[in-house]
Amino acid sequence: MIHPTTIIDPSAKIGKNFKAGPFCYVGPHVIVGNDVELKSHVVLEGHTTLGNCNTIYPFATIGHIPQDKKYSGETTYLEIGDDNIIREYVTMQPGTATDNKLTKIGNRGLFMVGTHIAHDCVIGNDVIFANHATLAGHVVVEDNVIIGGLSAVHQFVRIGAHAMIGGMSGVEQDVIPYGIVIGERARLSGLNLVGLKRRGFSQKSISALREAYRTLFTPETAEKASTFQERLSQIKKEKSEIPEIESLINFIQGESHRNLCMPKG
């Protein structure tokens, strides 16, 4: 199941049921799991570990050195989980010594045409990156995030679980879990209610998230507490026993290099 034009370095470690179409290349430090398919013209380079049941489409380049001038040839790593679909022209790069030397990608992701995952990013499970979605370095994307086409995410931004980034958005600040952001310079525009319903969240949880969002971000409720931190404290007292609210609070209070993405005005 390996085309004769494909080159696999003898030092590479290849799992069972490996398939590779024409003109693929697998470098010497690559580790490939079971049931992986490279359609054609795929490059796997560097210290890259690829899990089971991944499918990679033509002209994807996985594991080449980071696009970072601080990188000086040190050994760094790229880890990709299981059951991912990596479409044409996707690029994924390893970490750098300025962070944990690791770029890590979870399971069951769909990375559409032209997606770019830069150095030191950490990507969760069940994500969808639409065409030409781009991450700068050190970005964290949690589980079940959708990033719209032609969007770009600034370095060190965190995107919380179940959030959605609208197409053609420039994301410069952290995005809360369950939120939606849109715009050339993206602003928070509400909760990802459609996504929450599709993923089976209870009405109780959705209602609690809506109430928490109004308390934190809607101007007419701001008079209940004079500062954002006071409004956050109010939510902690009233709703922290709900898991989704707890995750929202933990995200907002988590360590970050960026401010929170806020609604316009």
Side-chain angles (χ1 to χ4, degrees):
M1 302 300 289
I2 300 174
H3 194 276
T5 59
T6 282
I7 298 172
I8 301 176
D9 190 280
S11 298
K13 298 179 180 179
I14 306 298
K16 298 177 181 178
N17 302 318
F18 177 70
K19 300 178 183 178
F23 301 106
C24 296
Y25 174 74
V26 181
H29 305 294
V30 173
I31 300 172
V32 178
N34 300 325
D35 301 300
V36 168
E37 181 176 4
L38 313 181
K39 293 293 187 180
S40 74
H41 299 84
V42 174
V43 174
L44 301 180
E45 257 287 15
H47 289 78
T48 295
T49 300
L50 188 65
N52 300 321
C53 302
N54 290 290
T55 303
I56 307 181
Y57 283 74
F59 304 105
T61 302
I62 311 299
H64 267 301
I65 64 171
Q67 298 177 124
D68 186 340
K69 287 188 175 182
K70 298 187 296 297
Y71 179 78
S72 57
E74 60 270 23
T75 299
T76 59
Y77 303 91
L78 169 63
E79 294 181 4
I80 301 171
D82 302 331
D83 296 294
N84 293 289
I85 297 174
I86 300 173
R87 293 303 304 253
E88 296 85 352
Y89 297 101
V90 169
T91 52
M92 297 178 174
Q93 297 174 351
T96 64
T98 60
D99 206 325
N100 295 320
K101 297 186 177 181
L102 174 66
T103 300
K104 189 170 184 177
I105 295 167
N107 306 317
R108 299 177 300 279
L110 170 57
F111 301 91
M112 297 186 194
V113 172
T115 293
H116 174 66
I117 309 295
H119 59 87
D120 303 290
C121 289
V122 178
I123 313 299
N125 301 319
D126 301 293
V127 298
I128 298 175
F129 284 56
N131 293 353
H132 298 284
T134 299
L135 303 187
H138 311 276
V139 171
V140 175
V141 178
E142 296 183 352
D143 295 347
N144 293 286
V145 167
I146 298 174
I147 300 183
L150 301 172
S151 295
V153 182
H154 196 283
Q155 62 260 33
F156 293 102
V157 161
R158 299 178 301 146
I159 301 178
H162 300 278
M164 183 171 183
I165 311 301
M168 297 183 288
S169 295
V171 183
E172 300 173 306
Q173 298 169 316
D174 289 351
V175 178
I176 60 168
Y178 318 106
I180 289 181
V181 301
I182 57 173
E184 180 183 351
R185 289 293 180 261
R187 308 298 289 178
L188 188 64
S189 66
L191 293 173
N192 184 15
L193 296 175
V194 173
L196 293 173
K197 291 173 182 177
R198 285 177 177 172
R199 293 169 189 145
F201 282 79
S202 70
Q203 189 58 51
K204 178 182 177 182
S205 295
I206 293 173
S207 297
L209 284 168
R210 295 181 73 170
E211 184 176 343
Y213 183 92
R214 285 193 295 268
T215 299
L216 284 171
F217 300 111
T218 304
E220 56 264 27
T221 64
E223 61 189 28
K224 294 182 180 179
S226 60
T227 70
F228 184 86
Q229 289 301 323
E230 287 172 345
R231 300 196 296 275
L232 185 62
S233 296
Q234 176 186 332
I235 293 171
K236 290 173 68 174
K237 291 178 182 178
E238 296 175 356
K239 301 288 185 181
S240 60
E241 76 282 357
I242 298 173
E244 292 79 10
I245 301 300
E246 183 181 11
S247 68
L248 177 64
I249 293 168
N250 290 340
F251 182 91
I252 292 172
Q253 294 183 324
E255 183 178 348
S256 180
H257 297 267
R258 314 297 296 175
N259 293 322
L260 277 182
C261 189
M262 304 291 279
K264 187 175 181 179

